[in-house]
Coordinates of all heavy atoms in Angstrom, one line a residue:
M1 N -36.1 -46.8 -132.9 CA -37.4 -47.4 -132.6 C -37.3 -48.6 -131.7 O -38.2 -48.8 -130.8 CB -38.1 -47.8 -134.0 CG -39.3 -48.5 -133.9 SD -40.6 -47.4 -134.4 CE -42.0 -48.4 -134.2
N2 N -36.3 -49.4 -131.9 CA -36.1 -50.6 -131.1 C -35.9 -50.2 -129.7 O -36.3 -50.9 -128.7 CB -35.0 -51.5 -131.7 CG -35.0 -52.8 -131.0 OD1 -35.9 -53.3 -130.4 ND2 -33.9 -53.5 -131.2
R3 N -35.1 -49.1 -129.5 CA -34.8 -48.7 -128.1 C -36.1 -48.3 -127.4 O -36.2 -48.5 -126.2 CB -33.8 -47.6 -128.2 CG -33.4 -47.1 -126.8 CD -32.3 -46.0 -126.9 NE -32.1 -45.5 -125.6 CZ -30.9 -45.2 -125.1 NH1 -29.9 -45.3 -125.9 NH2 -30.7 -44.8 -123.9
Q4 N -37.0 -47.6 -128.0 CA -38.2 -47.1 -127.4 C -39.0 -48.3 -127.0 O -39.6 -48.4 -125.9 CB -39.0 -46.3 -128.3 CG -38.5 -44.9 -128.5 CD -39.3 -44.1 -129.5 OE1 -40.0 -44.6 -130.3 NE2 -39.2 -42.7 -129.4
R5 N -39.1 -49.3 -127.8 CA -39.8 -50.5 -127.5 C -39.2 -51.3 -126.3 O -39.9 -51.8 -125.5 CB -39.9 -51.5 -128.7 CG -40.8 -52.6 -128.6 CD -40.9 -53.5 -129.8 NE -41.2 -52.8 -131.0 CZ -40.6 -53.0 -132.2 NH1 -39.8 -54.0 -132.3 NH2 -40.9 -52.3 -133.2
L6 N -37.9 -51.3 -126.3 CA -37.2 -52.0 -125.2 C -37.4 -51.3 -123.9 O -37.7 -51.9 -122.9 CB -35.7 -52.0 -125.5 CG -34.8 -52.8 -124.5 CD1 -35.2 -54.2 -124.5 CD2 -33.4 -52.6 -124.9
T7 N -37.3 -49.9 -123.8 CA -37.5 -49.2 -122.6 C -39.0 -49.3 -122.1 O -39.2 -49.4 -120.9 CB -37.1 -47.8 -122.7 OG1 -37.8 -47.2 -123.7 CG2 -35.6 -47.6 -122.9
K8 N -39.9 -49.4 -123.0 CA -41.3 -49.5 -122.7 C -41.6 -50.9 -122.1 O -42.3 -51.0 -121.1 CB -42.2 -49.2 -123.9 CG -43.7 -49.2 -123.5 CD -44.5 -48.7 -124.6 CE -46.0 -48.7 -124.1 NZ -46.8 -47.8 -124.8
S9 N -41.0 -51.9 -122.7 CA -41.2 -53.3 -122.1 C -40.5 -53.4 -120.8 O -41.0 -54.1 -119.9 CB -40.7 -54.3 -123.1 OG -39.3 -54.3 -123.2
M10 N -39.4 -52.7 -120.6 CA -38.7 -52.8 -119.3 C -39.5 -52.1 -118.2 O -39.6 -52.6 -117.1 CB -37.3 -52.2 -119.4 CG -36.3 -53.0 -120.1 SD -34.7 -52.2 -120.4 CE -34.3 -51.8 -118.8
S11 N -40.1 -51.0 -118.6 CA -40.9 -50.3 -117.6 C -42.2 -51.0 -117.2 O -42.7 -51.0 -116.1 CB -41.3 -48.9 -118.1 OG -42.2 -48.9 -119.2
L12 N -42.7 -51.8 -118.2 CA -43.9 -52.6 -117.9 C -43.6 -53.8 -116.9 O -44.4 -54.1 -116.1 CB -44.5 -53.2 -119.2 CG -45.2 -52.2 -120.1 CD1 -45.7 -52.8 -121.3 CD2 -46.4 -51.5 -119.3
R13 N -42.4 -54.3 -117.0 CA -42.0 -55.4 -116.1 C -41.7 -54.8 -114.7 O -41.8 -55.6 -113.8 CB -40.7 -56.1 -116.6 CG -41.0 -57.0 -117.8 CD -39.7 -57.8 -118.1 NE -38.7 -56.8 -118.5 CZ -37.5 -57.2 -118.9 NH1 -37.2 -58.4 -119.1 NH2 -36.6 -56.3 -119.3
R14 N -41.3 -53.6 -114.6 CA -41.0 -53.0 -113.3 C -42.2 -52.4 -112.6 O -42.1 -51.9 -111.5 CB -39.9 -51.9 -113.4 CG -38.5 -52.4 -113.7 CD -37.9 -53.0 -112.4 NE -37.8 -52.0 -111.4 CZ -37.4 -52.3 -110.2 NH1 -37.2 -53.5 -109.8 NH2 -37.3 -51.3 -109.3
R15 N -43.4 -52.5 -113.2 CA -44.5 -51.8 -112.6 C -44.9 -52.5 -111.3 O -45.0 -53.7 -111.2 CB -45.7 -52.0 -113.6 CG -47.0 -51.3 -113.0 CD -48.0 -51.2 -114.0 NE -47.6 -50.3 -115.1 CZ -48.2 -50.2 -116.2 NH1 -49.3 -51.0 -116.5 NH2 -47.8 -49.3 -117.1
G16 N -45.0 -51.7 -110.2 CA -45.4 -52.2 -108.9 C -44.2 -52.7 -108.1 O -44.3 -53.1 -107.0
A17 N -43.0 -52.6 -108.7 CA -41.8 -53.1 -108.0 C -41.4 -52.1 -106.9 O -40.8 -52.5 -105.9 CB -40.6 -53.3 -108.9
A18 N -41.7 -50.8 -107.0 CA -41.3 -49.9 -106.0 C -42.1 -50.1 -104.7 O -41.5 -50.0 -103.6 CB -41.6 -48.4 -106.5
S19 N -43.4 -50.4 -104.8 CA -44.1 -50.7 -103.6 C -43.7 -52.0 -103.0 O -43.6 -52.1 -101.7 CB -45.6 -50.8 -103.9 OG -45.9 -51.8 -104.9
L20 N -43.2 -53.0 -103.7 CA -42.7 -54.2 -103.1 C -41.4 -53.9 -102.4 O -41.1 -54.3 -101.3 CB -42.5 -55.2 -104.2 CG -41.8 -56.5 -103.7 CD1 -42.7 -57.3 -102.8 CD2 -41.5 -57.4 -104.9
D21 N -40.5 -53.1 -103.0 CA -39.3 -52.7 -102.4 C -39.5 -51.9 -101.1 O -38.9 -52.1 -100.1 CB -38.4 -51.8 -103.3 CG -37.9 -52.5 -104.6 OD1 -37.9 -53.8 -104.5 OD2 -37.6 -51.9 -105.5
Y22 N -40.6 -51.0 -101.1 CA -40.9 -50.3 -100.0 C -41.4 -51.2 -98.8 O -40.9 -51.0 -97.7 CB -42.0 -49.3 -100.3 CG -42.5 -48.4 -99.2 CD1 -41.7 -47.4 -98.8 CD2 -43.7 -48.6 -98.6 CE1 -42.1 -46.5 -97.7 CE2 -44.2 -47.7 -97.6 CZ -43.4 -46.7 -97.2 OH -43.8 -45.9 -96.2
V23 N -42.2 -52.1 -99.1 CA -42.7 -53.1 -98.1 C -41.6 -53.9 -97.5 O -41.5 -54.1 -96.3 CB -43.8 -53.9 -98.7 CG1 -44.2 -55.1 -97.8 CG2 -45.1 -53.1 -99.0
L24 N -40.7 -54.4 -98.4 CA -39.6 -55.2 -97.9 C -38.6 -54.4 -97.0 O -38.1 -54.9 -96.0 CB -38.8 -55.8 -99.1 CG -39.6 -56.9 -99.9 CD1 -38.8 -57.3 -101.1 CD2 -39.9 -58.1 -99.0
T25 N -38.4 -53.2 -97.4 CA -37.5 -52.3 -96.6 C -38.2 -52.0 -95.3 O -37.5 -52.1 -94.2 CB -37.3 -51.0 -97.4 OG1 -36.7 -51.2 -98.6 CG2 -36.4 -50.0 -96.6
L26 N -39.4 -51.7 -95.2 CA -40.1 -51.5 -94.0 C -40.1 -52.7 -93.1 O -39.9 -52.6 -91.9 CB -41.6 -51.1 -94.2 CG -41.8 -49.6 -94.6 CD1 -43.3 -49.3 -94.7 CD2 -41.2 -48.7 -93.5
G27 N -40.3 -53.9 -93.7 CA -40.2 -55.1 -92.9 C -38.8 -55.3 -92.3 O -38.7 -55.7 -91.1
A28 N -37.8 -55.1 -93.0 CA -36.4 -55.2 -92.5 C -36.2 -54.2 -91.4 O -35.6 -54.5 -90.3 CB -35.4 -55.1 -93.6
L29 N -36.6 -52.9 -91.6 CA -36.4 -51.9 -90.6 C -37.2 -52.2 -89.3 O -36.6 -52.0 -88.2 CB -36.8 -50.5 -91.1 CG -35.8 -50.0 -92.2 CD1 -36.4 -48.6 -92.7 CD2 -34.5 -49.8 -91.6
F30 N -38.4 -52.6 -89.4 CA -39.2 -53.0 -88.2 C -38.6 -54.1 -87.5 O -38.5 -54.1 -86.2 CB -40.6 -53.3 -88.6 CG -41.5 -52.1 -88.9 CD1 -42.5 -52.1 -89.8 CD2 -41.2 -50.9 -88.3 CE1 -43.3 -51.0 -90.1 CE2 -42.0 -49.7 -88.5 CZ -43.0 -49.8 -89.4
A31 N -38.1 -55.1 -88.2 CA -37.4 -56.2 -87.5 C -36.2 -55.8 -86.8 O -35.9 -56.2 -85.6 CB -37.1 -57.3 -88.5
M32 N -35.3 -55.0 -87.4 CA -34.1 -54.5 -86.8 C -34.4 -53.6 -85.6 O -33.7 -53.7 -84.6 CB -33.2 -53.8 -87.8 CG -32.5 -54.7 -88.8 SD -31.3 -53.9 -89.8 CE -32.3 -53.0 -90.9
S33 N -35.4 -52.7 -85.7 CA -35.7 -51.9 -84.6 C -36.3 -52.7 -83.4 O -36.1 -52.3 -82.3 CB -36.7 -50.8 -85.0 OG -37.9 -51.3 -85.5
G34 N -37.1 -53.7 -83.7 CA -37.6 -54.6 -82.7 C -36.5 -55.3 -81.9 O -36.5 -55.4 -80.7
V35 N -35.4 -55.7 -82.6 CA -34.3 -56.3 -82.0 C -33.5 -55.3 -81.1 O -33.1 -55.5 -80.0 CB -33.4 -57.0 -83.0 CG1 -32.0 -57.4 -82.4 CG2 -34.0 -58.2 -83.6
A36 N -33.4 -54.1 -81.7 CA -32.7 -53.0 -81.0 C -33.4 -52.6 -79.7 O -32.8 -52.4 -78.7 CB -32.4 -51.8 -81.9
V37 N -34.7 -52.5 -79.8 CA -35.5 -52.2 -78.6 C -35.4 -53.3 -77.5 O -35.3 -53.1 -76.3 CB -37.0 -51.9 -78.9 CG1 -37.8 -51.8 -77.7 CG2 -37.0 -50.6 -79.7
G38 N -35.5 -54.5 -78.0 CA -35.4 -55.7 -77.1 C -34.1 -55.8 -76.4 O -34.0 -56.2 -75.2
Y39 N -33.0 -55.6 -77.1 CA -31.7 -55.7 -76.5 C -31.1 -54.4 -76.2 O -29.9 -54.3 -75.9 CB -30.8 -56.4 -77.5 CG -31.1 -57.9 -77.7 CD1 -31.7 -58.4 -78.8 CD2 -30.8 -58.8 -76.7 CE1 -32.0 -59.7 -79.0 CE2 -31.1 -60.1 -76.8 CZ -31.7 -60.6 -78.0 OH -32.0 -61.9 -78.1
G40 N -31.8 -53.3 -76.1 CA -31.3 -52.0 -75.9 C -30.6 -51.8 -74.6 O -29.5 -51.2 -74.5
R41 N -31.1 -52.4 -73.5 CA -30.4 -52.3 -72.2 C -29.1 -53.0 -72.2 O -28.1 -52.5 -71.7 CB -31.4 -52.9 -71.1 CG -30.8 -52.8 -69.8 CD -31.7 -53.4 -68.7 NE -31.0 -53.4 -67.4 CZ -31.6 -53.2 -66.3 NH1 -32.9 -53.1 -66.3 NH2 -31.0 -53.3 -65.2
R42 N -29.1 -54.2 -72.8 CA -27.8 -54.9 -72.9 C -26.8 -54.2 -73.8 O -25.6 -54.2 -73.4 CB -28.1 -56.3 -73.4 CG -26.9 -57.2 -73.5 CD -26.4 -57.7 -72.2 NE -25.3 -58.6 -72.3 CZ -24.2 -58.5 -71.5 NH1 -24.2 -57.7 -70.5 NH2 -23.2 -59.4 -71.7
I43 N -27.2 -53.7 -74.9 CA -26.3 -52.9 -75.8 C -25.7 -51.7 -75.0 O -24.5 -51.5 -75.1 CB -27.1 -52.5 -77.0 CG1 -27.4 -53.7 -77.9 CG2 -26.3 -51.5 -77.8 CD1 -28.4 -53.4 -79.0
M44 N -26.5 -51.0 -74.3 CA -26.0 -49.8 -73.6 C -25.1 -50.2 -72.5 O -24.1 -49.6 -72.2 CB -27.2 -49.0 -73.0 CG -28.0 -48.3 -74.0 SD -27.0 -47.2 -75.1 CE -26.5 -46.0 -73.9
Q45 N -25.3 -51.3 -71.8 CA -24.5 -51.8 -70.8 C -23.1 -52.2 -71.4 O -22.0 -51.9 -70.8 CB -25.1 -53.0 -70.1 CG -24.3 -53.6 -68.9 CD -24.9 -54.8 -68.3 OE1 -26.0 -55.3 -68.7 NE2 -24.3 -55.3 -67.2
L46 N -23.1 -52.9 -72.5 CA -21.9 -53.3 -73.1 C -21.1 -52.1 -73.6 O -19.8 -52.1 -73.5 CB -22.1 -54.3 -74.3 CG -22.6 -55.7 -73.9 CD1 -23.0 -56.5 -75.1 CD2 -21.5 -56.4 -73.1
V47 N -21.8 -51.1 -74.2 CA -21.1 -49.9 -74.6 C -20.4 -49.2 -73.4 O -19.3 -48.7 -73.5 CB -22.0 -48.9 -75.3 CG1 -21.4 -47.6 -75.5 CG2 -22.4 -49.5 -76.7
Y48 N -21.1 -49.1 -72.3 CA -20.6 -48.5 -71.1 C -19.4 -49.3 -70.6 O -18.4 -48.7 -70.2 CB -21.7 -48.5 -70.0 CG -21.3 -47.9 -68.7 CD1 -21.1 -46.5 -68.5 CD2 -21.0 -48.7 -67.6 CE1 -20.7 -46.0 -67.3 CE2 -20.6 -48.2 -66.4 CZ -20.5 -46.8 -66.3 OH -20.1 -46.3 -65.1
E49 N -19.4 -50.6 -70.5 CA -18.3 -51.4 -70.1 C -17.1 -51.3 -71.0 O -16.0 -51.2 -70.6 CB -18.7 -52.9 -70.0 CG -19.7 -53.1 -68.8 CD -20.1 -54.6 -68.8 OE1 -19.7 -55.4 -69.6 OE2 -21.0 -54.9 -67.9
L50 N -17.4 -51.2 -72.3 CA -16.3 -51.1 -73.3 C -15.6 -49.7 -73.2 O -14.4 -49.6 -73.3 CB -16.8 -51.3 -74.7 CG -15.8 -51.5 -75.8 CD1 -15.0 -52.7 -75.6 CD2 -16.5 -51.5 -77.2
T51 N -16.4 -48.7 -73.0 CA -15.9 -47.4 -72.8 C -15.0 -47.3 -71.6 O -13.9 -46.7 -71.6 CB -17.0 -46.3 -72.8 OG1 -17.8 -46.4 -74.0 CG2 -16.4 -44.9 -72.7
G52 N -15.5 -47.8 -70.5 CA -14.8 -47.8 -69.3 C -13.5 -48.6 -69.4 O -12.4 -48.2 -68.9
F53 N -13.5 -49.7 -70.1 CA -12.3 -50.5 -70.3 C -11.3 -49.7 -71.1 O -10.1 -49.7 -70.7 CB -12.6 -51.8 -71.0 CG -11.4 -52.6 -71.5 CD1 -10.7 -53.3 -70.5 CD2 -11.0 -52.6 -72.8 CE1 -9.6 -54.0 -70.9 CE2 -9.9 -53.3 -73.1 CZ -9.2 -54.0 -72.2
F54 N -11.7 -49.1 -72.2 CA -10.7 -48.3 -73.0 C -10.2 -47.1 -72.3 O -9.0 -46.7 -72.5 CB -11.3 -47.9 -74.3 CG -11.4 -49.0 -75.3 CD1 -12.5 -49.4 -76.0 CD2 -10.2 -49.7 -75.7 CE1 -12.6 -50.4 -76.9 CE2 -10.2 -50.7 -76.6 CZ -11.4 -51.1 -77.2
L55 N -10.9 -46.5 -71.4 CA -10.4 -45.4 -70.6 C -9.5 -45.9 -69.5 O -8.6 -45.2 -69.1 CB -11.6 -44.6 -70.0 CG -12.4 -43.8 -71.1 CD1 -13.6 -43.2 -70.4 CD2 -11.5 -42.8 -71.8
A56 N -9.7 -47.1 -68.9 CA -9.0 -47.5 -67.8 C -7.8 -48.4 -68.1 O -6.9 -48.6 -67.3 CB -9.9 -48.3 -66.8
W57 N -7.7 -48.9 -69.3 CA -6.6 -49.9 -69.6 C -5.2 -49.4 -69.4 O -4.3 -50.1 -69.0 CB -6.8 -50.6 -70.9 CG -6.4 -49.7 -72.1 CD1 -7.2 -49.0 -72.8 CD2 -5.1 -49.6 -72.7 NE1 -6.6 -48.3 -73.8 CE2 -5.2 -48.7 -73.8 CE3 -3.9 -50.1 -72.4 CZ2 -4.2 -48.4 -74.6 CZ3 -2.8 -49.8 -73.2 CH2 -3.0 -48.9 -74.3
P58 N -4.9 -48.1 -69.7 CA -3.6 -47.6 -69.5 C -3.2 -47.7 -68.0 O -2.0 -47.7 -67.7 CB -3.6 -46.2 -70.0 CG -4.7 -46.1 -70.8 CD -5.7 -47.0 -70.3
F59 N -4.1 -47.6 -67.1 CA -3.8 -47.6 -65.6 C -3.9 -48.9 -65.0 O -3.6 -49.1 -63.8 CB -4.8 -46.6 -65.0 CG -4.9 -45.3 -65.6 CD1 -6.0 -44.9 -66.3 CD2 -3.8 -44.4 -65.5 CE1 -6.0 -43.7 -66.9 CE2 -3.8 -43.2 -66.1 CZ -5.0 -42.8 -66.8
M60 N -4.2 -50.0 -65.8 CA -4.2 -51.3 -65.2 C -2.8 -51.9 -65.0 O -2.0 -51.7 -65.8 CB -5.1 -52.3 -66.0 CG -6.5 -51.9 -66.0 SD -7.4 -53.0 -67.0 CE -9.0 -52.8 -66.4

């Protein structure tokens, strides 16, 4: 009986927490995607240079 009362009280405290988690996750994803879009050209340039370096270093 005590366990049923405990689980019920725990579920009452968590009510609405899933929507809060969803909003916080979306906020973090939108912020990270905004940064990725803003710096996308620079990121691709650095990846290109790094790939070229790793392919060319044995011949330097």
Side-chain angles (χ1 to χ4, degrees):
M1 175 109 180
N2 191 17
R3 183 179 173 138
Q4 286 178 338
R5 188 179 308 142
L6 182 65
T7 57
K8 186 169 183 156
S9 68
M10 286 173 57
S11 68
L12 289 176
R13 282 188 300 189
R14 286 284 297 169
R15 181 171 291 168
S19 56
L20 177 64
D21 294 342
Y22 181 71
V23 168
L24 290 174
T25 303
L26 281 180
L29 289 176
F30 283 148
M32 286 188 289
S33 63
V35 168
V37 167
Y39 289 107
R41 180 179 176 150
R42 180 72 178 141
I43 291 170
M44 290 304 294
Q45 182 181 3
L46 289 173
V47 168
Y48 178 76
E49 290 175 3
L50 189 66
T51 304
F53 172 76
F54 280 125
L55 291 175
W57 75 267
F59 306 110
M60 292 180 159

